[in-house]
């Protein structure tokens, strides 16, 4: 009877709670003339003063909040620079909608007076959005990358690229200081998450502090703010993992983030396929487009040969048989208030293995054959990189920045290749040496004018030594009867020197004038020697296969840009004038050229309202040919491929049209973004290829008219009722080009690619969360015949946080490869569990990868000459026992 009575009481309580109507409180906040955006609206209990609900006003000053509670309340409305207003309310169950418009009075800033403060998960101040991490995490986050996946609006792909909405971040800072620039993945993949108290999203970010508010910037950056107990002390963690079959991982972080000096030392050693660096070139050569003082960012040496594994539509860690060692030593010093010194030392040793079996079916222009390859590749690399930054602030309006970089890379690549039953061996030894010096001086004349003077010098060299212990080229070199192997020695050198003067003048009503005057000089040297050998003796160095190329380009330019604003419209006009002085020397024959051209562009952006934005632009560009386009004789670019340039000067013309429509903002519950890019190359480099079973020989040719169109649309919607975020991704690309194969005349080739997918990620505060998604891709190539295929990738990730000490993560994947009659579906399951033995000190874990022990997968691909099936070997199942200690 007591149990029945209690059940009745529970039913009555639940029923009465459901019957209580929900009150919708809405209205506007203004200063009597204009709406006030980002104002804080808080509903408080009039007695306990506890927060019942809160929200912020949108760009139009509109707010809305809901509650099912009744009684006496206070509605507190506040905004920076205004007097806070407190409005008493009495709510009852009969009320449904209550509209309250609030007018705030301006108030001078008074730092000695506190009006109202209430901690909220998200706060907005001008161009900064602040997220307090404790409201978005559940304790399972181990690295900064794991933490950022929890922050609303941030997107992190499988390789660690971080985007805010659809835009990649500029940098990832710690307490306002940046160490890795575009190489931020080294920080996000290694730094532990536990000391991070807040994540700041910095919109309209400027890399140069003097340009803030002057340049027209749409860049975005992230700043990690540490909790107070992690500042001005040495702290860190060490994690060790030991598994079956010699799988292991060892990670360590040692940090001290003081007010004047900051230190961050990290190490990562592993054989589990984990890439702790991301794309290392983003650290060595951070590339920024149209950035003030970015002269030389697009300059690097060109290399001919590569035996690196291909980029796969597959999680790279599953095919990465590695043995990696990474050490990074980083520090920031502030000897005086005016001087800041940044030092970075990076050392990476890695040995990777890659396994592939493939069958290529070729049927084009009279050539019909099948090639088989059993390919085993081993890459060894050693990279040492150092960077030294000096930033000296003469005053609040004058600043000098100097950056010195040195990179030394040593690589040894060996492949064991069985080609059509013949066992062969490739060996490629190559190095890279880079010295890069950049100096930039900035001065601000007043609040609206900035002048920058930048100089840069780059010296880079990349020699390569390639050998192949078979001879497949009897038809090319019939006189070499006894040949049984070949080799090629090459050396690519590049020197760059440039100076740039840049004036930015922000006019009335937001108009912006930019003027640049500069000169850039680049010299390339490309030396190649191709040898046909019998054993170790050179029997021929064929004419037409040796290069002595020296290519100099001097670009004297003037660039102008004007942004004109009329209310919510912005019009941008650009005009760049280039006077080139080209000099080409091929095999002791030299020539000169002095072309002049102008690159114009027009753009328009329209902020329709706070939720709708439209941007479009048109540009006409002329680009100068590079050294890999102008060398005169053939070079070996693979064990069965030869390539040569045009042997002459060329400038290529192109037109492009860009359209972008944005509905909502990335931090809203609903956000949609659509990009359309159309590009027409009036001139482009194509190939004239002689294709046989044992080799392919391609010569660059100049062709008219190539078209490309890309349409991509992303949609994000947050379902508050189920605390989950839905993401839709739709894309289409079409490319039309022409080439010649086996002297049959120009062939028209059309390529179509479609992708469509969706994801659903939960944000529950309870013990369980999920992330589920699927993506389909379809590729089609049309020549004289049509080839097409469709692939699918689906995943389901589950997270269980049973209590403060114990959590479990599960990741499952399904891959489907179209056009394969057998072995076309593959399943993967990964598992992670952690138990906190001592809170904030000692954690034990268990990690398992590839639990289904899928050993291989096969894929299908198409091209304009045929199709192929490829099989890749995967890392086997392994289980790791983990231990993490914090200090």
């Amino acid at each position: 009877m007591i149990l029945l009575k209690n059940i009745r009481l529970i039913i009555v309580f639940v029923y009465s709670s459901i019957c209580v109507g929900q009150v919708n409180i809405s209205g506007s906040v203004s200063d009597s003339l204009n709406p006030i955006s980002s104002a804080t609206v808080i509903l408080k209990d009039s007695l306990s003063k506890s927060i019942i609900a809160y929200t912020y006003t949108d760009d139009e000053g509109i707010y809305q909040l809901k509650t099912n509670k009744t009684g006496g309340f206070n509605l507190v409305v506040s905004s920076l620079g205004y007097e806070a207003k407190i409005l008493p309310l009495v709510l009852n169950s009969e009320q449904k909608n209550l509209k309250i418009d609030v007018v705030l009075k301006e108030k001078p800033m008074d730092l000695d007076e506190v009006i109202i403060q209430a901690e909220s998960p998200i706060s907005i101040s001008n161009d900064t959005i602040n997220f307090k991490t404790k409201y978005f995490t559940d304790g399972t986050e181990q690295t900064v990358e794991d933490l950022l996946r929890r922050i609303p609006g941030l997107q992190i792909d499988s390789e660690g690229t971080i985007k805010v909405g659809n835009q990649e971040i500029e940098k990832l800072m710690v307490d306002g200081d940046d160490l890795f620039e575009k190489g931020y993945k080294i920080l996000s993949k290694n730094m532990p998450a536990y000391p991070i108290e807040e994540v700041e999203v910095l919109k309209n970010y400027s890399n140069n502090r003097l340009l803030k508010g002057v340049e027209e910037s749409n860049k975005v950056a992230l700043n990690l703010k540490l909790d107070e107990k992690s500042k001005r002390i040495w702290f860190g963690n060490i994690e060790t993992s030991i598994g079956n079959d010699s799988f292991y991982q060892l990670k360590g972080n040692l940090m001290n983030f003081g007010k004047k000096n900051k230190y961050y030392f990290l190490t990562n050693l592993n054989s589990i396929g984990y890439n702790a660096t991301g794309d290392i070139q983003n650290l060595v050569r951070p590339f920024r487009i149209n950035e003030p003082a970015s002269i030389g960012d697009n300059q690097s040496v060109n290399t001919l040969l590569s035996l690196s594994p291909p980029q796969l539509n597959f999680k790279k860690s599953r095919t990465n048989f590695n043995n990696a060692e990474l050490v990074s030593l980083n520090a920031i010093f502030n000897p005086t208030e005016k001087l800041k010194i940044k030092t970075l030392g990076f050392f990476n040793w890695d040995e990777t293995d890659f396994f592939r079996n493939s069958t290529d079916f070729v049927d084009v222009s009279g050539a019909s054959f099948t090639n088989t390859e059993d390919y085993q590749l081993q890459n060894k690399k050693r990279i040492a990189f150092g960077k030294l930054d000096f930033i000296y602030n003469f005053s609040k309006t004058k600043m000098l920045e100097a950056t010195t970089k040195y990179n030394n890379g040593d690589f040894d690549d060996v492949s064991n290749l069985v080609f059509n039953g013949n066992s062969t061996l490739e060996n490629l030894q190559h190095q890279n040496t880079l010295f890069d010096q950049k100096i930039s001086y900035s001065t601000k004349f007043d609040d609206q004018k900035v002048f920058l003077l930048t100089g840069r010098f780059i010296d880079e060299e990349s020699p390569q030594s390639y050998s192949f212990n078979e001879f497949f080229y009897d038809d090319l070199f019939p006189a070499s009867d006894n040949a049984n192997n070949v080799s090629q020695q090459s050396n690519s050198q590049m020197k760059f020197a440039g100076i740039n003067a840049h004036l930015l003048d922000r006019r009335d009503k937001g108009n912006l004038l930019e003027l640049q005057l500069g000169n850039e000089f680049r010299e390339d040297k490309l030396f190649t020697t191709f040898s046909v050998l019998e054993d170790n003796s050179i029997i021929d160095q064929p004419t037409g296969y040796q290069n002595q190329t020296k290519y100099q380009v001097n670009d004297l330019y003037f660039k102008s840009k004007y942004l004109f604003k009329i209310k919510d419209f912005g019009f941008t006009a650009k005009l760049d004038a280039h006077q080139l002085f080209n000099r080409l020397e091929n095999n002791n024959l030299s020539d000169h050229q002095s072309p002049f051209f102008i690159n114009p562009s027009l753009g328009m952006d329209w902020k329709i309202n706070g939720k709708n934005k439209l941007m479009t632009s048109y540009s006409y560009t002329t680009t100068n040919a590079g050294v890999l386009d102008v060398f005169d004789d053939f070079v070996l670019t693979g064990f069965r491929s030869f390539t040569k340039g045009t042997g002459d000067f060329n400038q290529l013309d192109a037109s492009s049209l860009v359209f972008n429509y944005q509905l909502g903002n990335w931090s809203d519950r609903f956000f949609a973004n659509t990009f359309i890019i159309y590009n027409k190359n009036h001139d482009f480099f194509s190939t004239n290829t002689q294709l046989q079973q044992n080799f392919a020989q391609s010569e660059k040719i100049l062709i008219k008219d190539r078209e490309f169109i890309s349409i991509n649309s992303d949609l994000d919607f947050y379902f508050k009722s189920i605390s989950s975020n839905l993401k839709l991704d739709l894309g289409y690309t079409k490319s039309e080009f022409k080439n010649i194969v086996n002297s049959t005349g120009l062939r028209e080739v059309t390529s179509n690619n479609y992708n469509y997918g969706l994801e659903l990620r939960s944000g529950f505060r309870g013990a369980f969360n999920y992330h589920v998604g699927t993506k389909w891709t379809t590729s089609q190539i049309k020549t004289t015949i049509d080839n097409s295929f469709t692939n699918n990738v689906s995943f389901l990730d589950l997270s269980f946080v049973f209590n403060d000490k114990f959590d479990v993560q599960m990741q499952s994947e399904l891959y489907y490869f179209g056009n394969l009659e057998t072995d076309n579906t593959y399943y993967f399951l990964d598992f992670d569990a952690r138990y906190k033995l001592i809170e904030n000190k000692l954690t034990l874990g268990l990690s398992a990868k590839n639990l289904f022990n899928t050993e291989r997968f096969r894929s299908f691909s198409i091209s304009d000459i045929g199709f192929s099936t490829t099989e890749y070997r995967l890392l086997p199942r392994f289980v790791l026992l983990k231990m993490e200690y914090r200090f």
Side-chain angles (χ1 to χ4, degrees):
M1 294 295 293
I2 295 175
L3 178 60
L4 290 174
K5 184 177 180 180
N6 288 338
I7 292 175
R8 290 192 190 101
L9 288 174
I10 293 173
I11 293 174
V12 170
F13 174 77
V14 172
Y15 179 76
S16 62
S17 299
I18 294 173
C19 291
V20 173
Q22 194 174 54
V23 181
N24 180 44
I25 305 173
S26 62
S28 64
V29 179
S30 66
D31 60 2
S32 74
L33 294 176
N34 300 305
I36 300 175
S37 62
S38 303
T40 305
V41 183
I42 304 174
L43 185 67
K44 288 188 173 186
D45 188 287
S46 60
L47 297 177
S48 66
K49 307 299 182 183
S50 60
I51 298 176
I52 306 302
Y54 69 93
T55 188
Y56 301 95
T57 58
D58 61 16
D59 291 341
E60 305 298 326
I62 305 299
Y63 74 91
Q64 179 177 320
L65 53 80
K66 297 179 180 180
T67 182
N68 57 9
K69 297 183 178 296
T70 60
F73 302 92
N74 289 328
L75 188 69
V76 182
V77 183
S78 61
S79 183
L80 188 65
Y82 296 90
E83 293 184 1
K85 181 169 287 189
I86 302 176
L87 304 173
L89 300 176
V90 177
L91 304 179
N92 56 58
S93 59
E94 296 179 357
Q95 292 173 305
K96 299 296 182 183
N97 295 290
L98 188 60
K99 185 176 181 181
I100 302 176
D101 295 328
V102 181
V103 177
L104 299 182
K105 296 181 180 179
E106 291 189 11
K107 180 180 180 180
M109 183 66 68
D110 187 354
L111 298 179
D112 295 327
E113 181 178 352
V114 177
I115 301 172
I116 291 178
Q117 287 187 345
E119 185 176 77
S120 59
I122 305 174
S123 59
I124 303 174
S125 176
N126 297 324
D127 290 333
T128 302
I129 303 176
N130 185 290
F131 296 87
K132 294 190 180 297
T133 58
K134 67 180 182 181
Y135 291 100
F136 303 98
T137 58
D138 56 17
T140 63
E141 303 79 18
Q142 299 185 53
T143 65
V144 167
E145 183 178 296
D146 298 332
L147 168 66
L148 296 179
R149 292 182 190 276
R150 303 283 188 176
I151 303 300
L154 301 190
Q155 310 290 337
I156 296 93
D157 65 18
S158 59
E159 299 303 321
T161 301
I162 303 172
K163 293 184 178 181
V164 176
N166 294 295
Q167 182 177 354
E168 184 178 359
I169 65 171
E170 190 73 11
K171 59 180 62 172
L172 180 62
M173 298 178 285
V174 179
D175 275 352
D177 280 314
D178 170 52
L179 283 165
F180 299 101
E181 295 185 89
K182 285 286 189 177
Y184 60 80
K185 294 178 186 178
I186 299 174
L187 178 71
S188 60
K189 287 178 173 291
N190 292 280
M191 184 176 178
Y194 63 85
I196 309 303
E197 183 177 61
E198 299 177 16
V199 175
E200 287 183 332
V201 178
L202 310 176
K203 300 187 298 180
N204 303 321
Y205 181 77
S206 295
N207 286 295
N208 186 325
R209 65 174 179 83
L210 298 181
L211 293 175
K212 182 66 176 176
V214 178
E215 70 169 328
E216 191 72 12
S217 170
N218 63 350
K219 296 185 289 290
V220 62
L222 297 184
N223 181 39
L224 308 176
K225 299 182 71 172
L226 305 178
D227 55 33
E228 283 300 321
K229 64 182 180 182
S230 299
K231 295 180 180 180
R232 297 173 294 278
I233 63 168
W234 286 98
F235 73 99
N237 72 326
I238 185 169
E239 179 182 312
T240 179
S241 305
I242 301 175
N244 60 295
D245 297 331
S246 301
F247 286 103
Y248 76 97
Q249 184 174 35
L250 176 65
K251 298 193 298 183
N253 293 272
L254 178 62
M255 297 159 279
N256 187 318
F257 298 101
K259 187 175 181 180
K260 280 196 170 184
N261 302 327
K262 293 181 172 66
Y263 305 91
Y264 178 39
F265 308 145
L266 68 95
T267 185
N268 186 301
L269 298 81
N270 80 88
S271 63
I272 62 174
Y274 182 69
N275 182 2
T277 66
D279 186 354
I280 192 63
Q281 293 305 314
N282 287 327
L283 174 65
V284 179
R285 300 176 180 86
F287 179 46
R288 298 185 173 94
I289 301 175
N290 298 323
E291 168 89 2
S294 63
I295 179 174
D297 275 9
N298 58 344
Q299 304 295 322
S300 63
V301 74
N302 296 286
T303 56
L304 299 171
L305 273 158
S306 175
L307 298 185
S308 300
Q311 295 294 323
L312 305 176
N313 186 23
F314 198 76
K315 188 177 287 186
K316 185 177 180 180
S317 60
R318 299 204 184 278
T319 60
N320 188 28
F321 293 78
N322 73 322
N323 187 12
E325 302 171 7
L326 162 69
V327 175
S328 186
L329 310 174
N330 318 283
I332 298 177
F333 305 97
N334 291 274
T336 68
E337 292 184 357
K338 295 185 176 182
L339 178 63
K340 175 175 290 188
I341 302 173
K342 299 180 182 180
T343 62
L344 185 152
F346 176 87
F347 308 93
N348 183 213
W349 301 263
D350 200 358
E351 180 178 318
T352 61
D353 294 291
F354 179 78
F355 305 89
R356 181 193 71 202
N357 295 325
S358 63
T359 303
D360 297 323
F361 303 90
V362 177
D363 187 5
V364 57
S365 303
S368 181
F369 53 83
T370 300
N371 282 338
T372 61
E373 293 183 18
D374 184 351
Y375 187 68
Q376 299 180 24
L377 173 65
Q378 183 180 77
N379 298 118
K380 295 181 180 179
K381 69 178 180 181
R382 175 193 57 80
I383 297 176
F385 174 71
K387 186 178 75 160
L388 183 63
D389 286 337
F390 286 91
I391 303 174
Y392 188 79
N393 295 284
F394 296 98
S395 65
K396 291 183 179 181
T397 59
K398 299 182 188 300
M399 179 174 66
L400 179 69
E401 297 177 276
T403 299
T404 303
K405 299 178 185 177
Y406 179 77
N407 180 71
N408 185 275
D410 193 5
F411 308 87
D412 187 4
D413 305 333
V414 178
S415 78
N416 188 353
L417 171 66
V418 179
F419 176 67
N420 291 338
N422 295 314
S423 180
T424 60
L425 187 69
E426 284 181 289
N427 184 278
L428 175 64
Q429 294 180 330
H430 53 117
Q431 294 81 38
N432 178 270
T433 304
L434 167 70
F435 174 79
D436 185 354
Q437 177 66 62
K438 177 181 174 183
I439 300 177
S440 181
Y441 175 75
S442 306
T443 180
K444 198 169 188 177
F445 298 113
D446 54 36
D447 291 339
Q448 304 298 323
K449 294 184 179 67
V450 177
F451 176 76
L452 300 93
L453 184 63
T454 307
R456 191 166 186 177
F457 174 76
I458 304 173
D459 187 0
E460 187 173 10
E461 183 176 7
S462 184
Q464 293 186 326
S465 176
Y466 175 76
S467 61
F468 179 60
N469 71 339
E470 277 285 352
F471 186 74
F472 291 149
Y473 322 117
D474 297 291
D475 292 339
L476 284 177
F477 314 112
S480 303
D481 295 332
N482 299 322
N484 56 22
N485 69 99
V486 297
S487 71
Q488 179 174 275
Q489 308 296 318
S490 65
N491 191 13
S492 296
Q493 302 175 31
M494 186 274 292
K495 285 185 172 64
F496 171 86
I499 187 169
N500 175 273
H502 193 167
L503 174 67
L504 298 94
D505 183 3
R506 177 69 73 171
R507 304 292 183 86
D508 296 337
K509 299 180 181 180
N511 299 339
L512 176 63
L513 173 67
E514 293 188 54
L515 299 175
Q516 293 186 61
L517 179 64
N519 190 86
E520 298 181 8
F521 173 81
R522 172 171 173 147
E523 180 184 74
D524 285 280
K525 293 180 180 179
L526 178 63
F527 304 141
T528 69
T529 303
F530 175 72
S531 303
V532 179
L533 297 92
E534 180 183 3
D535 299 328
N536 295 322
S537 300
I538 297 176
I539 61 175
D540 192 15
Q541 290 182 338
T543 302
Y545 293 82
Q546 323 297 324
N547 283 277
Q548 297 286 322
T549 300
K550 185 176 179 181
Y551 185 44
Q552 295 177 341
V553 177
N554 191 88
D555 182 9
L556 177 63
Y557 61 84
F558 174 77
K559 298 180 180 182
S560 61
K561 178 180 178 181
Y562 191 77
L563 170 63
F564 180 68
K565 290 189 174 183
I566 305 176
K567 294 184 179 180
D568 295 325
F569 286 90
F571 299 92
T572 302
K574 294 174 63 179
L575 194 66
D576 300 346
H578 296 263
Q579 174 63 64
L580 298 186
F581 302 93
N582 294 335
R583 183 178 185 275
L584 175 62
E585 183 178 327
N586 265 323
N587 300 325
N588 299 319
L589 297 177
S590 62
D591 196 4
H592 298 78
Q593 184 196 44
S594 302
F596 175 81
F597 55 85
I598 293 176
N599 290 336
S601 71
L602 292 171
M604 186 272 289
D605 60 89
W606 179 23
K607 186 177 180 181
I608 303 172
N609 53 43
K611 299 293 184 181
N612 292 268
K613 299 176 184 177
L614 182 68
M615 184 276 289
T616 185
S617 65
Y618 169 81
S619 62
Y620 185 91
T621 58
T622 300
T623 56
N624 199 41
V627 65
L628 294 186
D629 303 316
V630 300
F631 66 89
D632 198 37
D633 288 345
F634 284 101
V635 296
L636 194 63
T637 56
F639 80 93
R640 54 183 297 269
S641 60
F642 293 86
T643 302
K644 70 174 294 186
T646 63
D648 201 359
F649 302 108
N650 285 286
Q651 285 77 45
L652 308 180
D653 298 328
S655 300
S656 63
L657 181 66
V658 178
F659 174 85
N660 174 228
Y661 173 70
Q662 182 176 307
L663 176 58
N665 298 290
W666 65 267
S667 56
D668 294 343
R669 287 184 59 189
F670 178 78
F671 174 67
N673 195 36
T674 298
F675 260 103
I676 301 176
I677 300 174
Y678 172 77
N679 188 77
K680 182 169 184 177
N681 296 97
H682 306 290
D683 316 284
F684 71 98
F685 286 124
S686 185
T687 56
N688 180 2
T689 302
Q690 296 299 315
L691 182 63
Q692 296 188 23
Q693 184 166 15
N694 286 342
F695 68 88
Q697 190 166 257
S698 297
E699 180 180 354
K700 285 193 175 181
I701 56 176
L702 193 65
I703 300 294
K704 297 290 185 181
D705 297 334
R706 176 177 63 180
E707 293 183 305
F708 172 83
I709 186 171
S710 175
I711 303 173
N712 187 265
S713 185
D714 295 316
L715 183 148
D716 285 87
F717 186 79
Y718 180 72
F719 292 94
K720 194 172 182 179
S721 58
I722 58 174
S723 298
S724 297
N725 190 79
L726 175 68
K727 180 178 181 180
L728 300 178
D729 185 7
L730 305 172
Y732 168 72
T733 60
K734 180 179 181 180
S735 175
E736 295 180 346
F737 61 95
K738 303 171 186 177
N739 61 17
I740 300 175
V741 178
N742 290 348
S743 304
T744 57
L746 283 176
R747 306 162 63 243
E748 293 188 1
V749 182
T750 301
S751 172
N752 293 284
N753 292 276
Y754 309 83
N755 66 81
Y756 29 94
L758 59 88
E759 297 179 24
L760 188 65
R761 183 193 292 270
S762 68
F764 305 141
R765 296 297 299 171
F768 169 73
N769 274 285
Y770 66 87
H771 184 200
V772 61
T774 186
K775 184 175 183 178
W776 295 85
T777 57
T778 298
S779 297
Q780 180 186 54
I781 291 183
K782 295 181 179 180
T783 52
T784 54
I785 59 174
D786 292 353
N787 280 331
S788 65
F789 68 93
T790 299
N791 293 341
N792 173 254
V793 179
S794 301
F795 64 89
L796 173 62
D797 300 341
L798 303 176
S799 173
F800 303 90
V801 182
F802 297 103
N803 52 49
D804 293 340
K805 291 182 174 293
F806 183 52
D807 62 79
V808 173
Q809 317 291 316
M810 300 178 66
Q811 299 88 33
S812 60
E813 296 171 342
L814 180 150
Y815 290 85
Y816 168 80
F817 296 98
N819 287 46
L820 295 177
E821 296 180 358
T822 60
D823 299 330
N824 58 5
T825 306
Y826 302 88
Y827 301 90
F828 297 92
L829 179 64
D830 300 334
F831 172 89
D832 285 282
R834 293 196 310 160
Y835 181 77
K836 298 177 182 177
L837 194 64
I838 304 176
E839 185 70 21
N840 296 325
K841 276 292 182 182
L842 183 62
T843 300
L844 304 179
L846 180 69
S847 178
K849 303 294 183 183
N850 193 9
L851 282 172
F852 295 140
N853 202 28
T854 304
E855 296 181 350
R856 299 174 183 270
F857 80 91
R858 296 170 66 227
S859 65
F860 181 87
S861 62
I862 58 177
S863 70
D864 63 306
I865 62 172
F867 62 94
S868 63
T869 60
T870 309
E871 182 179 82
Y872 303 92
R873 189 189 302 180
L874 307 177
L875 269 72
R877 174 175 54 219
F878 62 88
V879 179
L880 298 173
L881 294 176
K882 295 183 176 182
M883 182 179 70
E884 180 195 6
Y885 179 74
R886 300 180 185 178
F887 53 87

